[in-house]
Amino acid sequence: GQSLEQPSEVTAVEGAIVQINCTYQTSGFYGLSWYQQHDGGAPTFLSYNALDGLEETGRFSSFLSRSDSYGYLLLQELQMKDSASYFCAVRDSGGGATNKLIFGTGTLLAVQP
Amino acid sequence: GAGVSQSPSNKVTEKGKDVELRCDPISGHTALYWYRQSLGQGLEFLIYFQGNSAPDKSGLPSDRFSAERTGGSVSTLTIQRTQQEDSAVYLCASRQGNTIYFGEGSWLTVV
């Protein structure tokens, strides 16, 4: 089957660093993405990893290890506005016939003053 | 258009009625997705279109759900004989490369 697992909630303080982990199990794999969703809003794209290693975009970084079926999103210098849900997603090649994007269950990040 | 547009933004319907939800993707995006999100939950895949064809409709919960896409652009998700468990936000997204862009969603409440 296809599944992505993330912690349900993470709490951190302003200025800190937080890491949100994602482990996945899919029949095919094109890459790991991360999306942010504020309460009541639409999910927005943060990052994408197709190859192993770390991708950095400003305060956010994302890491992928394909051999471990594992990735994480690293948020640095946390700000109150970073309080949101974060979803990992895998583009599942599913034998090549589909490009279904499967989302994890989401991690609710609460940033405290 | 500038972004993915969905309508209606909010819909309250009586149990047993049919509803149609519309999605207008970003111009030129050939891949289109429908997802469902219940309150506080993750995104549940419903169906994926490439052009006008749907190579993967495995996420449609029952035969009451159907979707079509015409002209490689607008898509309509139809829910027949709505049930209370259908209440959720229905999100449409279109893809360019490895990034998908979501609309604001259609909030459906079945009473």
Side-chain angles (χ1 to χ4, degrees):
Chain A
Q2 301 160 325
S3 67
L4 290 88
E5 294 193 7
Q6 308 176 230
S8 58
E9 293 184 28
V10 173
T11 302
V13 297
E14 266 189 304
I17 299 172
V18 71
Q19 178 174 314
I20 300 174
N21 298 321
C22 173
T23 57
Y24 60 88
Q25 181 178 17
T26 56
S27 56
F29 180 79
Y30 270 157
L32 182 72
S33 303
W34 288 91
Y35 287 78
Q36 178 192 61
Q37 185 180 33
H38 285 99
D39 194 29
T44 56
F45 172 81
L46 291 177
S47 68
Y48 173 76
N49 293 67
L51 302 175
D52 292 350
L54 191 69
E55 294 281 343
E56 298 182 61
T57 308
R59 294 188 297 115
F60 294 1
S61 302
S62 57
F63 172 82
L64 174 66
S65 170
R66 288 174 295 170
S67 60
D68 295 322
S69 297
Y70 163 77
Y72 65 73
L73 179 69
L74 190 73
L75 296 85
Q76 303 182 72
E77 301 172 21
L78 281 175
Q79 302 175 10
M80 296 296 291
K81 67 178 182 179
D82 297 330
S83 294
S85 291
Y86 292 83
F87 295 88
C88 59
V90 169
R91 189 171 153 195
D92 186 352
S93 60
T98 182
N99 285 296
K100 183 191 310 185
L101 196 64
I102 303 298
F103 282 81
T105 51
T107 299
L108 181 62
L109 172 63
V111 180
Q112 298 178 339
Chain B
V4 178
S5 177
Q6 293 189 243
S7 62
S9 55
N10 283 283
K11 175 74 176 178
V12 180
T13 190
E14 292 182 352
K15 178 181 171 182
K17 295 287 179 71
D18 298 352
V19 296
E20 279 191 358
L21 308 177
R22 176 190 168 103
C23 172
D24 202 342
I26 294 172
S27 178
H29 287 194
T30 57
L32 184 149
Y33 301 80
W34 282 99
Y35 289 87
R36 179 169 71 174
Q37 187 175 31
S38 301
L39 192 63
Q41 301 298 308
L43 285 78
E44 176 188 4
F45 170 82
L46 297 179
I47 188 169
Y48 156 69
F49 286 93
Q50 183 64 42
N52 290 334
S53 64
D56 194 328
K57 54 180 77 172
S58 62
L60 294 177
S62 73
D63 59 7
R64 296 187 296 106
F65 288 72
S66 62
E68 65 175 12
R69 189 179 186 195
T70 55
S73 182
V74 172
S75 176
T76 303
L77 177 69
T78 301
I79 309 172
Q80 296 178 307
R81 305 181 302 280
T82 52
Q83 303 295 313
Q84 288 185 328
E85 61 263 28
D86 299 334
S87 296
V89 179
Y90 289 82
L91 291 161
C92 176
S94 64
R95 179 167 59 82
Q96 177 77 10
N98 295 309
T99 304
I100 71 169
Y101 301 87
F102 283 89
E104 293 294 321
S106 291
W107 295 67
L108 175 66
T109 304
V110 182
V111 297

